[in-house]
Amino acid sequence: MSTTRPCSPGDRGPEAGDDGASAVSARSVTPVDGVTPVDDASPAPAPVGRQVRTLNLEGESGVVPLARDFARQALYAWGWLPAASADRRAAAEDVLLVVSELVTNACLHAEGPDELRISCDNKVLRIEVSDRGSGQPAPRTPHRAGRPGGHGMFIVQRLCLDWGVVRTPGVAGKTVWAELGAPA
């Protein structure tokens, strides 16, 4: 686990041509990567290169289900859903759980999330949740499974390849990111 490194090993940041203009309003689900959301059960082709989707959550209500629905649509567009096997289904559910945990943490500890960004290539799916909070997320230590609450970052740590926090000097807030392996 890394809580300071802005990118995981081998991640060189945004791909060429990704100018951040991939924003999607919270009420619009128009894809930004040229793939139309799938409404039926037919699988979408696997992503080629890095696919990126961004959802503005600033000022929205019901952000956790909104974020999960947005992530689910991305998973359909990128071919993670519908899942052909139990392993693929588990990988997709892990993504949705991590999205829920990161957005919930921003709601509970950082005055709410500003933005959800999900990117995917053929090996790694990256989830980023930006907020204006000053706190530092960390798994509760020691973790006590029988106690209510405080399990979010422990779950993220257990499910993800890596996770961390990015702060921009002179700018309020942070971005909490997590990466999961793409299903085989």
Side-chain angles (χ1 to χ4, degrees):
M1 173 195 77
S2 168
T3 58
T4 57
R5 195 172 64 243
C7 299
S8 66
D11 187 1
R12 293 179 292 275
E15 295 292 315
D18 180 16
D19 58 1
S22 58
V24 176
S25 76
R27 298 293 178 216
S28 168
V29 292
T30 303
V32 297
D33 52 15
V35 180
T36 303
V38 177
D39 292 328
D40 61 14
S42 60
V48 178
R50 182 160 295 278
Q51 308 286 317
V52 179
R53 290 184 176 212
T54 302
L55 176 65
N56 181 6
L57 295 168
E58 192 171 359
E60 293 292 331
S61 60
V63 294
V64 175
L66 185 65
R68 281 181 65 92
D69 289 345
F70 178 78
R72 186 177 293 108
Q73 289 174 356
L75 293 175
Y76 270 101
W78 296 336
W80 287 51
L81 290 173
S85 68
D87 287 343
R88 292 180 70 83
R89 189 170 24 264
E93 288 299 323
D94 287 351
V95 169
L96 298 175
L97 179 56
V98 170
V99 165
S100 294
E101 293 299 336
L102 294 181
V103 172
T104 298
N105 277 356
C107 290
L108 294 174
H109 307 293
E111 303 171 25
D114 292 335
E115 183 179 89
L116 168 64
R117 179 181 167 114
I118 303 175
S119 59
C120 181
D121 61 22
N122 289 326
K123 295 182 181 181
V124 175
L125 185 134
R126 183 175 173 111
I127 301 162
E128 300 176 12
V129 176
S130 299
D131 62 54
R132 286 184 234 117
S134 60
Q136 180 72 18
R140 181 180 285 175
T141 306
H143 180 254
R144 296 194 175 125
R147 292 194 139 165
H151 305 290
M153 292 311 295
F154 179 78
I155 291 168
V156 170
Q157 180 179 351
R158 294 293 299 236
L159 293 178
C160 295
L161 299 170
D162 203 3
W163 72 275
V165 177
V166 178
R167 294 185 189 275
T168 304
V171 177
K174 65 187 172 298
T175 298
V176 180
W177 60 268
E179 293 181 334
L180 295 98

